[in-house]
Amino acid sequence: MKRLLIALMLLFSGPLLADDTMPPAPYANRQLDDPKLEAKAHELMLTIRCLTCQSQSIADSDASMAGDLRNQIRQRVAAGEEPETIRQWLVARYGDYISYAPQVTSLTWPLFVLPAVLLLLAALMLRRRFTRKEP
Amino acid sequence: MSEAPTKGARWAMWLPLGLFAGFAALLVVGLMWPADKTVKSRFVGQPLPEFNLAAASDDRPGLSRADFVGGKPRLLNVFASWCVPCAAEAPQLEALRQAGVEIHGVALRDHKPELAAFLARNGNPFSRIGADNLSVVQVGIGSAGVPETFVIDSKGVIRHQHIGVIMADDVPKLLAKLREAEQ
Amino acid sequence: MTAEFGLAALWLAAALAALQLFAGALALTRKGEALGGAVRPAAVVQGLLALASFIALVIVFVQTDLSVKLVHNNSHSAKPMLYKLAGAWGNHEGSMLLWVTVMGLAGSIVALVERRLPEKTMLATLAGQAFVSLGFYAFLLFSSNPFTRMAPAPEGRGLNPLLQDPGLAFHPPTLYIGYVGLSIAFSFAIGALITREVSPAFARAMRPWVLGAWIFLTLGIVAGSYWAYYELGWGGWWFWDPVENASLMPWLAATALLHSCSVLAARNALRAWTVMLGVVAFSMSMVGTFLVRSGILTSVHAFAVDPERGSFILALLGIYIGGALTLFGLRASTVTEGERFAVVSRESALVFNNVMLSCTLGIVLVGTLYPLLAEALGQQVSIGPPYFNPFTAIFVVPMLLVMAVGPLLRWRRDEFGRVRKGLILPALAGLLVLGLAISWKPAHVLPVIGLALAPAIGIASLLPLRGRKLRQVKLPLWGMVFAHFGVALSLFGMASDSAFTSEKLVAVNVGEKVAVGPWQIGLKSIDPVAGPNWTALEAVMEARYHGGDAITLHPQSRSFWSPPQQTSESALVTRWNGQLYAVLGDESEDGRWQLRLWWKPFVPMIWFGGILIAFGGFLALLGRVASDLRRIVARNKISYRRQRQGR
């Protein structure tokens, strides 16, 4: 199914048209022995976007490049790197696109003030709705 | 019965339409002028990371960062035998080689026999081919697919990224980028 | 012939919709009043013709008439009958025909039974409904004709294997019926705005349609989420993907609308707000359809993507929603908000939750479309769970707290002190679980909040039944209790899944054993198997829960041949306290098999809770419709008696 989706996506995206037959990287589908480190790595993988299968995280993808990214992330985490450092390392190469966790930037700040704006709007509109005395 | 006063709330009545107009405009723009969805490398302008790849074929040596340092600017071509469009750009790579460009190949997740057959069929314009079986170099330089071609200057700095097949009219463009990288 | 009959019926239905629109609109003027009599019959016949057209399409698919282009593109003679049927609506043209059919039939029912609103409001409503239908008829006839013929081909191309799944055969039509049901609410809102008749009667007339649409939306989302869960093969059940969000947004709006309808029906308050939500709910349905069909945002679920269809839907969206909102701007200031109420009152709790639902909707909408805005500005961003989870929680958590208290409050004015005693038990339960959860040293805050909230709101949702004779409790109250309890259950499933899931990714030889959570799993063999239009490698696994009896699992890796595609079929073992999830991956070079195994405690509660929510809606609908029917019968008796007395 994933392969189908990948194939479909690739039809649109052009460059890749076939999938390789290379076996997956050592840590693509193998967990780290230390459950704490594995949890750290897994959590990061859930928020890294797969580049060849569009709208999916590398943690839920069968694409080989996602597997290679999982491998690299697990190895880096095992080597003691912090997940956020790895995220920044990836963002330096692929831009904010690769991270599902938007950073506060000049472009994305409205996303982060949105809850306050919504609450303010609601308060403005509801201001006259209530009465304290029996009508 | 006490009805809420309505004055002062008029702006609120038009607020939904205003929001909707902005939102519809966004959808129109997105639909009529679809943005480029390719993921470009942000690593252009940065020096190549350290890497050392084993030889991917028997008749060409492997590839490391040091192979890009010194001399003239070179091309780094990410390709694979299982990638159909990669065969399509072979003549253009050959033309670039004949124009005196040194091309280093990064074979992505490839098997030796299949790669050898691919090179026998489509020609071998590469002076070195490294085997990137774990996409380490690919991810290291911010490439998101195959084929992709990078212009690397003599200091080992990435100067340009070309995404997708090199078409005939891309050859002069790449030559220009290579000249640019010489300065 | 069948295809031509279907097309003819479709044209006739469109003509009747035009008649319905013009007669309805003219009847609102003084001169055209006489035309009013034509509107209801036109609506009824229009619905029947649309149904005839849809039946014709289903017949063409059942016969696998390959001279019809749509059949050729989406069916295959070797396909199981269920998927031949599903093929009729598992594509863009067929699903649009289903859309107008449901819309037409709903219009017929409104025209036949709805008599409590002023006649002019009804005419405006039916004209509005015809106006909306006409756009979709035009879309079908001019740009997506399902009955186009072609030179007969020897064989069809088959249905996307993705859609060859019982879950997916019914998931899109379920959502669609929900989307279309909201179009009726929209038409009611338009009718009410045109005639300035926003009243409790309006809310009561609209409510069954909102309830019905909401039930289908709930079921559609539950089915879609469960399908993604077992079909995608990685154990995830919600990805905040644009297409998933497209189904969530109308649901959030419909949920808010449902509750504001109650306030309007019971207390004649929140008039403009309810009308507004009626418009918003349907616009979210249209936005959802647009996002799925236009492919404007990249999604795992996008199929039948076509920018031309996108522009057609966008044009309809602009006309209907832009028009409705203009009408709202013009009229809403003359529709007063109605009765006021105290800060502590049932209304107040409902208003609060309405606002929280709308804010959640705002977050989902903006978060879904923001990448589009970024692209328009030449940048790329991805917005996923790390944004949506905490930012929706800001509004969802307070909403759930108020949901626990609200149903205990009285209308108009109440004292918090009166209900405080009743809340001690749920609060204690919540605090107890919170304490336990914190002592486990959780990695995340949200699952802990969820785990603590779930028992609290679960108990609180039963409190409205306290002190009542259960046999005398009316159906709508039962409905509310079930639905709110379902929310608690669902929340518990979600929190438990993210807090307690154990994952195991391993490569094993046949004969080896693996442990995941409390399970011992042995790989017995890998066998080739064949289905009607696929072959597969099937793993035979033996699973033992805490060393108990062996349960056999058969996850498969399937290859379809028409069209050629591969899918992985996960195998599930469901227990009362969770689900074991097994996926067969590829064979590695050394002959070992890659397995993915998960033990997910209480995860089925997510969907079971969702079904309870829908069931609650169904009970409420049943209660409302029953009382409406009783009233209609009583009214008919009275008018019958009057007639006899008159004679």
Side-chain angles (χ1 to χ4, degrees):
Chain A
M1 186 185 112
K2 273 301 154 47
R3 255 159 260 159
L4 142 77
L5 287 173
I6 296 155
L8 272 181
M9 287 311 169
L10 295 175
L11 276 182
F12 298 115
S13 64
L16 264 154
L17 274 173
D19 215 350
D20 59 301
T21 55
M22 203 73 179
Y27 280 98
N29 297 315
R30 189 179 139 203
Q31 290 156 300
L32 293 172
D33 294 328
D34 180 346
K36 272 191 188 152
L37 291 180
E38 171 64 23
K40 255 184 170 179
H42 187 247
E43 196 167 313
L44 175 64
M45 292 185 295
L46 281 172
T47 65
I48 297 299
R49 186 167 185 164
C50 171
L51 290 159
T52 43
C53 37
Q54 310 288 352
S55 192
Q56 275 179 313
S57 80
I58 58 167
D60 330 285
S61 172
D62 289 331
S64 53
M65 193 174 178
D68 285 347
L69 278 173
R70 289 200 296 272
N71 175 56
Q72 288 201 25
I73 286 177
R74 283 203 174 99
Q75 287 184 338
R76 279 167 182 272
V77 168
E81 260 186 75
E82 277 308 309
E84 283 316 302
T85 323
I86 304 172
R87 186 194 304 283
Q88 290 317 319
W89 186 86
L90 285 167
V91 167
R93 276 148 186 83
Y94 294 102
D96 289 328
Y97 180 86
I98 199 164
S99 166
Y100 269 125
Q103 311 288 308
V104 186
T105 65
S106 57
L107 176 75
T108 59
W109 65 266
L111 281 172
F112 296 88
V113 299
L114 183 64
V117 172
L118 289 171
L119 282 177
L120 199 71
L121 262 179
L124 269 176
M125 288 207 271
L126 284 175
R127 178 170 53 140
R128 293 199 189 80
R129 280 310 75 219
F130 299 107
T131 162
R132 292 204 166 270
K133 288 183 190 138
E134 188 67 31
Chain B
M1 257 306 270
S2 88
E3 306 260 287
T6 55
K7 59 182 169 180
R10 269 192 163 267
W11 64 270
M13 301 301 165
W14 291 102
L15 185 69
L17 186 64
L19 289 175
F20 174 73
F23 163 79
L26 178 63
L27 293 187
V28 170
V29 169
L31 195 67
M32 296 300 155
W33 298 277
D36 182 9
K37 303 241 180 202
T38 48
V39 183
K40 294 194 189 76
S41 173
R42 300 295 149 116
F43 218 54
V44 176
Q46 304 279 336
L48 283 174
E50 236 6 280
F51 66 90
N52 198 350
L53 297 179
S57 78
D58 291 329
D59 53 353
R60 293 288 191 279
L63 187 66
S64 71
R65 185 184 189 280
D67 298 320
F68 288 92
V69 181
K72 285 171 72 172
R74 300 171 181 82
L75 288 182
L76 186 160
N77 181 250
V78 184
F79 76 108
S81 69
W82 44 266
C83 142
V84 182
C86 292
E89 69 176 6
Q92 282 70 257
L93 283 176
E94 183 56 34
L96 283 162
R97 191 190 66 84
Q98 281 170 11
V101 180
E102 190 174 16
I103 306 170
H104 291 329
V106 169
L108 197 68
R109 305 179 61 83
D110 224 331
H111 298 282
K112 254 189 187 171
E114 284 154 29
L115 185 71
F118 176 86
L119 294 173
R121 202 164 52 239
N122 300 298
N124 187 347
F126 305 106
S127 34
R128 289 169 167 271
I129 306 176
D132 194 11
N133 291 342
L134 302 172
S135 314
V136 176
V137 172
Q138 185 182 35
V139 173
I141 59 177
S143 150
V146 272
E148 285 190 17
T149 310
F150 293 80
V151 174
I152 316 286
D153 72 13
S154 57
K155 292 195 191 81
V157 174
I158 305 170
R159 299 292 291 266
H160 175 72
Q161 180 194 27
H162 178 90
I163 297 176
V165 178
I166 301 172
M167 310 299 267
D169 54 351
D170 292 325
V171 173
K173 283 182 210 160
L174 280 172
L175 287 172
K177 288 285 177 191
L178 284 159
R179 270 196 302 279
E180 219 172 88
E182 234 168 310
Q183 282 130 37
Chain C
M1 265 317 284
T2 321
E4 282 67 33
F5 171 78
L7 187 59
L10 195 59
W11 273 105
L12 279 176
L16 275 166
L19 173 70
Q20 186 183 335
L21 170 61
F22 289 115
L26 286 173
L28 290 177
T29 64
R30 198 165 293 165
K31 278 185 188 168
E33 264 170 6
L35 285 167
V39 175
R40 284 182 195 257
V44 174
V45 180
Q46 181 221 323
L48 294 177
L49 282 167
L51 179 65
S53 179
F54 184 70
I55 290 173
L57 187 70
V58 171
I59 292 175
V60 168
F61 265 88
V62 169
Q63 293 170 337
T64 318
D65 181 348
L66 291 167
S67 68
V68 175
K69 202 171 166 191
L70 193 65
V71 178
H72 172 256
N73 286 345
N74 295 286
S75 196
H76 190 281
S77 55
K79 217 163 56 164
M81 183 51 82
L82 172 67
Y83 302 122
K84 283 189 183 171
L85 275 174
W89 60 74
N91 55 71
H92 167 73
E93 288 83 355
S95 62
M96 280 291 136
L97 183 56
L98 177 68
W99 177 292
V100 295
T101 305
V102 177
M103 212 171 196
L105 286 175
S108 306
I109 298 173
V110 172
L112 278 175
V113 304
E114 190 50 60
R115 306 262 167 204
R116 72 196 112 179
L117 290 182
E119 191 57 22
K120 287 231 162 169
T121 307
M122 272 321 294
L123 292 178
T125 301
L126 287 172
Q129 182 72 9
F131 185 47
V132 177
S133 304
L134 260 183
F136 287 94
Y137 282 123
F139 189 21
L140 270 169
L141 291 168
F142 299 125
S143 142
S144 323
N145 183 355
F147 296 107
T148 309
R149 292 272 189 187
M150 57 179 278
E155 193 45 275
R157 287 196 205 156
L159 178 69
N160 187 336
L162 269 174
L163 304 179
Q164 300 198 24
D165 178 278
L168 213 65
F170 293 102
H171 156 65
T174 312
L175 269 183
Y176 260 39
I177 293 170
Y179 280 9
V180 179
L182 290 177
S183 81
I184 305 281
F186 176 79
S187 305
F188 272 113
I190 299 296
L193 274 178
I194 288 175
T195 55
R196 294 188 175 88
E197 284 282 346
V198 184
S199 61
F202 153 77
R204 288 193 198 104
M206 179 158 94
R207 182 161 52 187
W209 296 99
V210 179
L211 260 173
W214 181 80
I215 294 166
F216 277 101
L217 282 176
T218 310
L219 289 176
I221 293 172
V222 168
S225 155
Y226 193 67
W227 171 80
Y229 169 73
Y230 75 74
E231 185 71 34
L232 292 182
W234 291 88
W237 48 271
W238 191 264
F239 304 92
W240 294 107
D241 177 273
V243 168
E244 291 171 350
N245 295 350
S247 68
L248 180 64
M249 290 189 283
W251 185 85
L252 289 169
T255 311
L257 176 59
L258 197 59
H259 291 86
S260 82
C261 262
S262 300
V263 178
L264 181 52
R267 292 278 298 133
N268 196 14
L270 297 187
R271 295 174 179 175
W273 177 252
T274 305
V275 170
M276 184 68 231
L277 278 178
V279 175
V280 168
F282 182 57
S283 36
M284 288 303 134
S285 307
M286 299 253 328
V287 168
T289 317
F290 172 78
L291 289 181
V292 180
R293 299 289 164 192
S294 67
I296 194 169
L297 291 164
T298 26
S299 155
V300 213
H301 305 278
F303 69 107
V305 163
D306 181 343
E308 187 201 307
R309 291 167 188 167
S311 32
F312 215 114
I313 301 174
L314 189 56
L316 294 181
L317 185 80
I319 295 168
Y320 297 142
I321 308 308
L325 291 176
T326 310
L327 189 64
F328 183 83
L330 290 171
R331 287 289 163 86
S333 51
T334 64
V335 177
T336 55
E337 271 298 351
E339 304 278 334
R340 290 191 175 198
F341 37 81
V343 176
V344 180
S345 64
R346 174 85 67 89
E347 291 95 319
S348 179
L350 284 163
V351 167
F352 181 82
N353 276 6
N354 250 274
V355 170
M356 293 296 116
L357 279 167
S358 309
C359 290
T360 312
L361 173 61
I363 296 278
V364 178
L365 182 66
V366 173
T368 307
L369 292 177
Y370 213 81
L372 203 59
L373 179 70
E375 276 175 17
L377 299 173
Q379 300 201 43
Q380 288 171 322
V381 287
S382 299
I383 295 165
Y387 176 77
F388 286 112
N389 287 342
F391 278 76
T392 51
I394 293 175
F395 301 105
V396 172
V397 171
M399 179 187 77
L400 291 174
L401 284 171
V402 172
M403 186 189 93
V405 185
L408 305 172
L409 295 172
R410 290 188 181 132
W411 291 108
R412 196 197 299 261
R413 164 170 298 279
D414 204 346
E415 296 297 328
F416 189 67
R418 197 181 60 80
V419 296
R420 200 165 40 199
K421 249 189 189 168
L423 290 171
I424 291 174
L425 184 63
L428 278 179
L431 288 174
L432 183 71
V433 179
L434 189 66
L436 277 176
I438 289 173
S439 69
W440 290 321
K441 295 197 179 123
H444 291 285
V445 183
L446 284 181
V448 173
I449 296 177
L451 285 174
L453 266 179
I457 60 178
I459 296 171
S461 67
L462 303 176
L463 291 179
L465 296 174
R466 206 180 44 163
R468 288 178 193 254
K469 285 190 180 135
L470 290 188
R471 292 179 130 212
Q472 286 166 14
V473 171
K474 294 220 166 88
L475 278 177
L477 179 60
W478 274 120
M480 181 186 77
V481 168
F482 269 103
H484 286 183
F485 189 75
V487 172
L489 217 53
S490 202
L491 179 70
F492 182 63
M494 295 174 195
S496 168
D497 178 45
S498 52
F500 305 126
T501 293
S502 7
E503 180 183 54
K504 199 87 174 194
L505 311 173
V506 281
V508 293
N509 288 310
V510 171
E512 262 183 273
K513 281 205 171 95
V514 201
V516 55
W519 292 86
Q520 279 287 334
I521 294 151
L523 178 62
K524 293 281 154 197
S525 64
I526 304 272
D527 309 312
V529 289
N533 51 355
W534 47 264
T535 54
L537 282 174
E538 184 177 277
V540 179
M541 293 180 188
E542 217 174 68
R544 287 171 197 275
Y545 182 79
H546 281 307
D549 291 337
I551 302 165
T552 316
L553 279 82
H554 303 276
Q556 293 179 343
S557 163
R558 270 188 203 174
S559 310
F560 286 81
W561 60 74
S562 64
Q565 276 164 13
Q566 267 197 315
T567 71
S568 69
E569 302 289 311
S570 51
L572 299 169
V573 179
T574 310
R575 283 176 54 90
W576 67 273
N577 62 345
Q579 221 164 23
L580 175 69
Y581 188 118
V583 178
L584 173 65
D586 294 328
E587 187 181 12
S588 62
E589 276 177 336
D590 57 3
R592 293 190 302 169
W593 292 88
Q594 183 68 45
L595 301 180
R596 299 200 292 268
L597 305 163
W598 286 274
W599 165 242
K600 293 173 163 285
F602 298 106
V603 75
M605 298 298 162
I606 298 174
W607 305 286
F608 186 62
I611 291 169
L612 268 191
I613 295 174
F615 179 69
F618 174 72
L619 288 182
L621 180 63
L622 208 64
R624 302 289 178 209
V625 170
S627 71
D628 284 357
L629 283 179
R630 270 198 298 277
R631 226 196 32 259
I632 291 172
V633 170
R635 191 190 53 207
N636 285 349
K637 265 188 194 154
I638 291 167
S639 63
Y640 178 67
R641 238 177 262 148
R642 274 197 197 131
Q643 272 177 6
R644 281 183 42 171
Q645 280 164 0
R647 274 177 202 169

